[in-house]
Coordinates of all heavy atoms in Angstrom, one line a residue:
S118 N -9.1 11.4 0.6 CA -9.4 12.8 0.7 C -8.2 13.7 0.6 O -8.4 14.9 0.2 CB -10.1 13.1 2.1 OG -9.1 13.0 3.1
G119 N -7.0 13.2 0.9 CA -5.8 14.1 0.8 C -5.7 14.9 2.0 O -4.9 15.9 2.0
C120 N -6.5 14.7 3.0 CA -6.4 15.6 4.2 C -5.1 15.3 5.0 O -4.5 14.2 4.8 CB -7.6 15.4 5.1 SG -7.7 13.9 6.1
Q121 N -4.8 16.1 5.9 CA -3.6 15.9 6.8 C -4.0 15.0 7.9 O -5.2 14.9 8.2 CB -3.1 17.3 7.3 CG -2.7 18.2 6.3 CD -2.4 19.6 6.8 OE1 -2.7 19.9 8.0 NE2 -1.8 20.4 6.0
W122 N -3.0 14.3 8.5 CA -3.3 13.4 9.6 C -4.0 14.2 10.7 O -4.9 13.6 11.4 CB -2.0 12.8 10.1 CG -1.4 11.9 9.2 CD1 -0.3 12.1 8.4 CD2 -1.8 10.6 8.8 NE1 0.0 11.1 7.6 CE2 -0.9 10.1 7.8 CE3 -2.8 9.7 9.2 CZ2 -1.0 8.8 7.2 CZ3 -2.9 8.5 8.6 CH2 -2.0 8.0 7.7
D123 N -3.6 15.4 10.9 CA -4.3 16.2 12.0 C -5.7 16.5 11.8 O -6.5 16.9 12.7 CB -3.6 17.6 12.1 CG -2.2 17.5 12.8 OD1 -1.9 16.4 13.4 OD2 -1.4 18.4 12.7
M124 N -6.2 16.4 10.5 CA -7.6 16.7 10.2 C -8.5 15.5 10.1 O -9.6 15.6 9.6 CB -7.6 17.5 8.9 CG -6.8 18.8 9.0 SD -6.8 19.8 7.5 CE -8.4 20.6 7.7
L125 N -8.0 14.3 10.6 CA -8.9 13.2 10.6 C -10.1 13.4 11.5 O -10.0 14.0 12.5 CB -8.2 12.0 11.3 CG -7.5 11.0 10.4 CD1 -6.7 10.0 11.2 CD2 -8.4 10.3 9.4
P126 N -11.3 13.1 11.0 CA -12.5 13.3 11.8 C -12.4 12.5 13.1 O -11.7 11.5 13.2 CB -13.6 12.7 10.9 CG -13.1 12.8 9.5 CD -11.6 12.6 9.6
H127 N -13.1 13.0 14.1 CA -12.9 12.4 15.5 C -13.6 11.1 15.7 O -13.4 10.4 16.7 CB -13.5 13.4 16.5 CG -12.7 14.7 16.5 ND1 -11.4 14.7 17.0 CD2 -13.0 16.0 16.1 CE1 -10.9 16.0 16.9 NE2 -11.9 16.7 16.4
D128 N -14.4 10.6 14.7 CA -15.0 9.3 14.8 C -14.0 8.2 14.5 O -14.3 7.0 14.7 CB -16.3 9.2 14.1 CG -16.2 9.6 12.6 OD1 -15.3 10.4 12.3 OD2 -17.1 9.2 11.8
F129 N -12.8 8.5 14.0 CA -11.8 7.5 13.7 C -10.9 7.4 15.0 O -11.0 8.3 15.9 CB -10.9 8.0 12.5 CG -11.6 7.8 11.2 CD1 -11.7 8.9 10.4 CD2 -12.0 6.6 10.7 CE1 -12.3 8.8 9.1 CE2 -12.6 6.5 9.5 CZ -12.8 7.6 8.7
P130 N -10.0 6.4 15.1 CA -9.1 6.4 16.2 C -8.2 7.6 16.2 O -8.1 8.3 15.1 CB -8.3 5.1 15.9 CG -9.2 4.3 15.1 CD -10.0 5.2 14.2
A131 N -7.5 7.9 17.2 CA -6.6 9.0 17.4 C -5.6 9.1 16.2 O -5.1 8.1 15.8 CB -5.9 9.0 18.7
K132 N -5.3 10.3 15.7 CA -4.4 10.5 14.6 C -3.1 9.8 14.8 O -2.5 9.2 13.9 CB -4.3 11.9 14.2 CG -3.6 12.7 15.3 CD -3.4 14.1 15.0 CE -2.7 14.8 16.2 NZ -2.3 16.0 16.2
G133 N -2.6 9.9 16.0 CA -1.3 9.4 16.3 C -1.3 7.8 16.2 O -0.3 7.2 15.7
T134 N -2.4 7.2 16.6 CA -2.5 5.8 16.5 C -2.6 5.4 15.1 O -1.9 4.4 14.7 CB -3.8 5.3 17.3 OG1 -3.7 5.7 18.6 CG2 -4.0 3.8 17.2
V135 N -3.4 6.1 14.3 CA -3.6 5.8 12.9 C -2.2 5.9 12.2 O -1.8 5.0 11.4 CB -4.6 6.6 12.2 CG1 -4.7 6.4 10.7 CG2 -6.0 6.4 12.9
Y136 N -1.5 7.0 12.4 CA -0.2 7.2 11.7 C 0.8 6.2 12.2 O 1.6 5.7 11.4 CB 0.3 8.6 12.0 CG 1.6 8.9 11.2 CD1 1.5 9.1 9.9 CD2 2.8 8.8 11.9 CE1 2.7 9.3 9.1 CE2 4.0 9.0 11.2 CZ 3.9 9.2 9.8 OH 5.1 9.4 9.1
H137 N 0.7 5.8 13.4 CA 1.7 4.8 13.9 C 1.5 3.5 13.1 O 2.5 2.9 12.7 CB 1.4 4.5 15.4 CG 2.1 3.2 15.9 ND1 3.4 3.2 16.2 CD2 1.6 2.0 16.1 CE1 3.7 1.9 16.5 NE2 2.6 1.2 16.5
Y138 N 0.3 3.0 13.0 CA 0.0 1.8 12.2 C 0.4 2.0 10.7 O 1.1 1.1 10.2 CB -1.5 1.4 12.3 CG -1.8 0.6 13.5 CD1 -2.3 1.3 14.7 CD2 -1.7 -0.8 13.6 CE1 -2.6 0.6 15.8 CE2 -2.0 -1.5 14.7 CZ -2.4 -0.8 15.8 OH -2.8 -1.5 17.0
F139 N 0.1 3.1 10.1 CA 0.4 3.3 8.7 C 1.9 3.3 8.5 O 2.4 2.6 7.6 CB -0.1 4.7 8.3 CG 0.4 5.2 7.0 CD1 -0.3 4.7 5.8 CD2 1.4 6.0 6.8 CE1 0.2 5.1 4.6 CE2 1.8 6.4 5.6 CZ 1.2 5.9 4.4
N140 N 2.7 3.9 9.4 CA 4.1 4.0 9.3 C 4.8 2.7 9.6 O 5.7 2.2 8.9 CB 4.6 5.1 10.2 CG 6.0 5.5 9.8 OD1 6.4 5.6 8.6 ND2 6.9 5.8 10.8
A141 N 4.3 2.0 10.6 CA 4.8 0.7 11.0 C 4.6 -0.3 9.8 O 5.5 -1.1 9.5 CB 4.2 0.1 12.3
W142 N 3.4 -0.3 9.2 CA 3.2 -1.2 8.1 C 4.0 -0.8 6.9 O 4.4 -1.7 6.1 CB 1.7 -1.2 7.8 CG 0.8 -1.8 8.9 CD1 1.3 -2.6 9.9 CD2 -0.6 -1.7 9.0 NE1 0.2 -3.0 10.7 CE2 -0.9 -2.5 10.2 CE3 -1.6 -1.0 8.3 CZ2 -2.2 -2.6 10.6 CZ3 -2.9 -1.1 8.8 CH2 -3.2 -1.9 9.9
R143 N 4.3 0.4 6.7 CA 5.2 0.9 5.6 C 6.6 0.3 5.9 O 7.2 -0.2 5.0 CB 5.2 2.4 5.5 CG 6.1 2.9 4.4 CD 6.1 4.4 4.4 NE 6.7 5.0 5.6 CZ 8.0 5.1 5.9 NH1 8.9 4.7 5.1 NH2 8.4 5.6 7.1
K144 N 7.1 0.5 7.1 CA 8.4 0.0 7.4 C 8.6 -1.5 7.4 O 9.7 -2.0 6.9 CB 8.9 0.6 8.8 CG 9.1 2.1 8.8 CD 9.5 2.5 10.2 CE 9.8 4.0 10.2 NZ 10.1 4.5 11.6
D145 N 7.6 -2.2 7.8 CA 7.8 -3.7 7.9 C 7.4 -4.4 6.6 O 7.4 -5.6 6.6 CB 7.1 -4.3 9.1 CG 5.6 -4.2 9.0 OD1 5.0 -4.0 8.0 OD2 4.9 -4.6 10.1
G146 N 6.9 -3.7 5.6 CA 6.6 -4.3 4.3 C 5.2 -4.8 4.2 O 4.8 -5.5 3.3
T147 N 4.3 -4.5 5.2 CA 2.9 -5.0 5.2 C 2.2 -4.5 4.0 O 1.5 -5.3 3.3 CB 2.2 -4.5 6.5 OG1 2.8 -5.2 7.6 CG2 0.7 -4.9 6.4
W148 N 2.4 -3.2 3.6 CA 1.7 -2.7 2.4 C 2.1 -3.5 1.1 O 1.2 -3.8 0.3 CB 1.9 -1.2 2.2 CG 1.3 -0.4 3.3 CD1 2.0 0.4 4.2 CD2 -0.1 -0.3 3.7 NE1 1.1 1.0 5.1 CE2 -0.2 0.6 4.8 CE3 -1.3 -0.8 3.2 CZ2 -1.4 1.0 5.3 CZ3 -2.5 -0.5 3.7 CH2 -2.5 0.4 4.8
Q149 N 3.4 -3.7 1.0 CA 3.8 -4.4 -0.2 C 3.3 -5.9 -0.2 O 2.9 -6.4 -1.2 CB 5.4 -4.4 -0.3 CG 6.0 -3.1 -0.6 CD 6.1 -2.2 0.6 OE1 5.8 -2.6 1.7 NE2 6.5 -0.9 0.3
Q150 N 3.4 -6.5 1.0 CA 2.9 -7.9 1.1 C 1.4 -8.0 0.8 O 0.9 -8.9 0.1 CB 3.2 -8.5 2.4 CG 4.7 -8.7 2.7 CD 5.0 -8.9 4.2 OE1 4.1 -9.2 5.0 NE2 6.3 -8.9 4.5
L151 N 0.6 -7.0 1.3 CA -0.8 -7.0 1.1 C -1.1 -6.8 -0.4 O -1.9 -7.5 -1.0 CB -1.4 -5.8 1.9 CG -2.9 -5.6 1.8 CD1 -3.7 -6.8 2.2 CD2 -3.3 -4.4 2.6
N152 N -0.4 -5.9 -1.0 CA -0.6 -5.7 -2.5 C -0.3 -6.9 -3.3 O -1.1 -7.3 -4.2 CB 0.2 -4.5 -2.9 CG 0.0 -4.1 -4.4 OD1 -1.2 -4.0 -4.8 ND2 1.0 -4.0 -5.2
A153 N 0.8 -7.5 -3.0 CA 1.2 -8.7 -3.7 C 0.2 -9.9 -3.5 O -0.2 -10.6 -4.5 CB 2.6 -9.2 -3.3
A154 N -0.2 -10.1 -2.3 CA -1.2 -11.1 -2.0 C -2.5 -10.9 -2.7 O -3.1 -11.8 -3.3 CB -1.4 -11.2 -0.5
L155 N -3.1 -9.7 -2.6 CA -4.3 -9.4 -3.2 C -4.3 -9.5 -4.7 O -5.2 -10.0 -5.4 CB -4.9 -8.1 -2.8 CG -5.2 -7.9 -1.3 CD1 -5.7 -6.5 -0.9 CD2 -6.3 -9.0 -0.9
R156 N -3.1 -9.0 -5.3 CA -3.0 -9.1 -6.7 C -2.9 -10.6 -7.2 O -3.6 -11.0 -8.1 CB -1.7 -8.4 -7.2 CG -1.4 -8.5 -8.7 CD -0.1 -7.9 -9.1 NE 1.0 -8.7 -8.5 CZ 2.0 -8.3 -7.8 NH1 2.1 -7.0 -7.6 NH2 2.9 -9.1 -7.3
G157 N -2.2 -11.4 -6.4 CA -2.1 -12.8 -6.7 C -3.4 -13.5 -6.6 O -3.8 -14.3 -7.5
E158 N -4.2 -13.2 -5.6 CA -5.5 -13.8 -5.4 C -6.5 -13.4 -6.6 O -7.2 -14.3 -7.1 CB -6.1 -13.4 -4.1 CG -5.5 -14.0 -2.9 CD -6.0 -13.5 -1.6 OE1 -7.0 -12.8 -1.5 OE2 -5.3 -13.7 -0.5
L159 N -6.4 -12.2 -7.0 CA -7.3 -11.7 -8.1 C -6.8 -12.4 -9.4 O -7.7 -12.8 -10.2 CB -7.2 -10.2 -8.2 CG -7.9 -9.6 -9.4 CD1 -9.4 -9.9 -9.3 CD2 -7.7 -8.1 -9.5
R160 N -5.6 -12.5 -9.6 CA -5.1 -13.1 -10.9 C -5.5 -14.6 -10.9 O -5.9 -15.0 -12.0 CB -3.6 -13.0 -11.0 CG -3.1 -11.5 -11.3 CD -1.6 -11.5 -11.5 NE -1.1 -12.3 -12.6 CZ -1.2 -11.9 -13.9 NH1 -1.6 -10.7 -14.2 NH2 -0.7 -12.7 -14.8
Q161 N -5.4 -15.3 -9.8 CA -5.9 -16.7 -9.8 C -7.4 -16.8 -10.0 O -7.8 -17.6 -10.8 CB -5.5 -17.3 -8.4 CG -4.1 -17.7 -8.3 CD -3.8 -18.4 -7.0 OE1 -4.4 -18.2 -6.0 NE2 -2.7 -19.2 -7.0

Side-chain angles (χ1 to χ4, degrees):
S118 70
C120 78
Q121 298 171 350
W122 294 104
D123 287 344
M124 299 181 84
L125 263 176
H127 296 292
D128 50 339
F129 288 121
K132 65 177 179 175
T134 301
V135 174
Y136 184 75
H137 166 77
Y138 278 92
F139 173 79
N140 199 37
W142 292 343
R143 180 183 60 81
K144 288 179 179 178
D145 72 9
T147 296
W148 294 117
Q149 288 82 5
Q150 293 168 12
L151 178 62
N152 185 50
L155 294 177
R156 181 187 62 233
E158 289 173 15
L159 176 61
R160 289 182 61 83
Q161 285 183 330

